[in-house]
Amino acid sequence: MTSVQQGVQRLVTTTNGAAKQITQHTLDNGLRLVIAPAATGQVAAVNLWYGVGSRHEVPGRTGFAHLFEHLMFQGSGNVPKGDHFDAIERLGGDINASTSSDRTNYYETVPEHALDLALWLEADRLATLREGMGQEVLDNQRDVVKNERRQRYDNIPYGTAFERILSHAYPPGHPYHHPTIGSMADLDAADLEYVLSFHKAHYGPDNLVLTVVSALDPDDVHERVKHYFGGIPARDVIAEAPDATLEGPIGGPKSEVVTENVPAPAVFLIYRVPAYGTREFDIMQLASAVLGQGQGSRLYRRLVVERGLANDDGGSAADLVNFRYTPGLFFVSMIARDGVTGDQLEEAMLDEISTLADGISEEEMERARAVLERDHLQSISTPGGLADSLGSCTQLFDDPTLVYTWPQRWAAISTDEVVEYAKRLLTPENRLSVRFEDEEAPDADA
């Protein structure tokens, strides 16, 4: 038995005990509540996963899920604009939110004695947000989101890479064809009536997983949540997401060369993989770790250290985009060093990717498992991180105990399986290449 396998066995013993301490309830209005103990007292982490993301949007109405991430902090029936943030931060708490294709997430970590305040604030904006929503608030936050798009997408080097990748990897009209930020035109076209209807369609307790991680008694937490959320009615009509079914390879090799004012050529290589939660996705996570995660990975050792073709990225050249309801993406990206062309870097990256099909050593597999396990355990090591992972597994898989199973899943995958799936999925017909070239660079032939 390898050292990693021995470590996983010890971890299983520990986490099985932790999994048994998870408490689950479903309120009469459909809200799913997950309660788990914190490793340390004094703080309470509150995490809300609403089952609405950009996959629920339709062409011409993109960016609304992310817009609501902002609107939910702009006041409600009983809380003036900005007071939600202010109330939590005055207590020394942390508060934020995020949006993806599959969910919208709101979270705060507060002192234990402020749990009631956090629950009341969240319940109030769920129940009464539309009462505090007006045209001025919408116009203001629409401008904020548009500015965010400029800062994070349009006006930074390589900023449109992911948007371009989605547009090629998923066909027009597919719910994953566009990024969560949405388009400028769609944001401009947003009207108050549609915004209010979007909230009504998606923001209900029956579409919510609420997670509380603290040292408080679980029965006490349950009663508090029932007090604040139990009277909020479920949605009248359950909104459905557009069909995300997609089969087969990307249909490559596809490629796009983008000429912009960038500091150096950059290469993004994309492959379609099975959806998050499947064993095949787990297999490709290990392939990604072998190839490009950590300074012991192949891409770092070969292209950064030995050949000096790529910039030092600390060992973060490969990863997976974990979409739950449609095939995900195997993602490899690197930026060229001075004097290296995009063609040279792309060719070298493809060569290294192809070596996975030639075989993987047990030492590499042990390192890959250790990298994934370390990252996972770090992500759940704080009350806030654990609450987020519990909410994720409940919203996406209806099973919070999955939080503790990922290391076991990776340990059960063999080297031969990883090699087999690398041969099957990392192929030209399943490949998309997006490359950025500097518009002021001299012609390569010259």
Side-chain angles (χ1 to χ4, degrees):
M1 182 179 293
T2 68
S3 60
V4 170
Q5 289 170 327
Q6 290 174 340
V8 168
Q9 278 198 340
R10 290 192 295 271
L11 181 65
V12 168
T13 303
T14 302
T15 55
N16 279 345
K20 291 178 181 177
Q21 297 183 66
I22 296 172
T23 305
Q24 299 183 66
H25 302 276
T26 301
L27 304 192
D28 291 341
N29 57 14
L31 182 149
R32 286 176 287 171
L33 170 63
V34 180
I35 305 169
T40 58
Q42 309 305 316
V43 299
V46 178
N47 197 292
L48 296 86
W49 271 59
Y50 288 96
V52 55
S54 58
R55 75 184 183 98
H56 293 85
E57 300 163 354
V58 296
R61 297 287 193 177
T62 65
F64 281 79
H66 175 251
L67 179 61
F68 262 99
E69 177 195 324
H70 290 257
L71 292 174
M72 288 280 278
F73 290 100
Q74 296 306 304
S76 56
N78 298 298
V79 180
K81 176 182 176 180
D83 278 16
H84 191 134
F85 261 109
D86 185 64
I88 299 300
E89 291 175 344
R90 281 178 179 272
L91 294 165
D94 295 323
I95 180 171
N96 216 325
S98 67
T99 311
S100 78
S101 299
D102 296 338
R103 89 299 184 269
T104 308
N105 178 214
Y106 304 88
Y107 51 95
E108 48 253 307
T109 300
V110 297
E112 272 185 0
H113 66 79
L115 175 59
D116 284 279
L117 174 63
L119 293 175
W120 178 80
L121 286 167
E122 291 292 357
D124 183 68
R125 66 177 173 183
L126 170 60
T128 71
L129 182 87
R130 295 193 294 275
E131 297 175 20
M133 180 69 60
Q135 189 65 49
E136 181 182 355
V137 170
L138 172 59
D139 291 342
N140 175 269
Q141 290 308 300
R142 173 168 43 202
D143 289 343
V144 170
V145 173
K146 288 170 64 177
N147 192 50
E148 181 181 340
R149 181 185 167 94
R150 295 184 190 98
Q151 291 178 341
R152 294 177 52 196
Y153 288 77
D154 299 331
N155 296 339
I156 64 168
Y158 324 116
T160 61
F162 192 59
E163 183 173 27
R164 295 174 186 276
I165 287 165
L166 291 177
S167 70
H168 290 295
Y170 302 96
H174 190 273
Y176 291 78
H177 178 75
H178 64 277
T180 58
I181 195 72
S183 73
M184 286 291 198
D186 289 354
L187 290 169
D188 281 334
D191 61 84
L192 183 60
E193 181 180 359
Y194 185 81
V195 167
L196 294 174
S197 70
F198 189 90
H199 184 270
K200 184 177 181 180
H202 297 287
Y203 279 83
D206 52 311
N207 198 29
L208 169 61
V209 172
L210 170 61
T211 304
V212 179
V213 174
S214 74
L216 297 169
D217 179 77
D219 291 337
D220 178 27
V221 174
H222 182 205
E223 290 302 317
R224 297 189 200 199
V225 171
K226 283 198 298 183
H227 174 72
Y228 293 110
F229 286 86
I232 303 173
R235 294 171 296 169
D236 296 329
V237 178
I238 297 177
E240 295 186 4
D243 183 18
T245 304
L246 197 61
E247 297 181 358
I250 281 179
K254 292 183 179 179
S255 64
E256 179 183 8
V257 178
V258 183
T259 303
E260 290 184 350
N261 182 18
V262 293
V267 178
F268 298 82
L269 298 174
I270 310 300
Y271 302 83
R272 188 180 290 167
V273 298
Y276 179 46
T278 62
R279 181 179 177 84
E280 293 82 3
F281 185 94
D282 298 341
I283 291 170
M284 295 310 292
Q285 277 187 300
L286 285 166
S288 171
V290 169
L291 184 65
Q293 294 186 32
Q295 296 185 0
S297 63
R298 292 187 180 186
L299 287 170
Y300 189 87
R301 287 187 290 109
R302 290 282 295 133
L303 302 194
V304 176
V305 177
E306 296 175 14
R307 299 180 63 184
L309 297 176
N311 275 331
D312 189 341
D313 57 7
S316 58
D319 207 345
L320 269 70
V321 178
N322 56 343
F323 292 146
R324 171 68 180 93
Y325 303 100
T326 202
L329 301 175
F330 188 96
F331 198 103
V332 185
S333 62
M334 302 190 89
I335 297 175
R337 282 191 182 170
D338 288 345
V340 178
T341 68
D343 277 331
Q344 290 172 320
L345 179 58
E346 182 169 343
E347 182 180 358
M349 290 168 64
L350 289 171
D351 286 344
E352 288 301 321
I353 292 172
S354 69
T355 64
L356 290 177
D358 297 331
I360 298 171
S361 70
E362 286 302 325
E363 181 182 0
E364 286 181 299
M365 279 290 284
E366 283 216 15
R367 190 200 67 84
R369 293 189 188 101
V371 166
L372 295 178
E373 182 182 323
R374 177 205 64 201
D375 290 347
H376 176 67
L377 293 179
Q378 285 181 344
S379 73
I380 62 173
S381 64
T382 65
L386 177 59
D388 188 60
S389 293
L390 290 169
S392 167
C393 289
T394 307
Q395 183 64 259
L396 300 181
F397 305 107
D398 203 25
D399 184 2
T401 65
L402 289 179
V403 165
Y404 298 113
T405 67
W406 301 115
Q408 298 163 247
R409 292 164 64 131
W410 295 318
I413 293 169
S414 70
T415 303
D416 289 342
E417 286 181 282
V418 178
V419 172
E420 175 192 348
Y421 273 87
K423 290 179 181 178
R424 184 183 304 182
L425 296 175
L426 304 182
T427 61
E429 59 266 29
N430 193 32
R431 186 176 76 230
L432 162 66
S433 166
V434 175
R435 195 169 79 226
F436 285 77
E437 298 282 359
D438 183 8
E439 60 189 6
E440 296 182 1
D443 184 79
D445 293 335

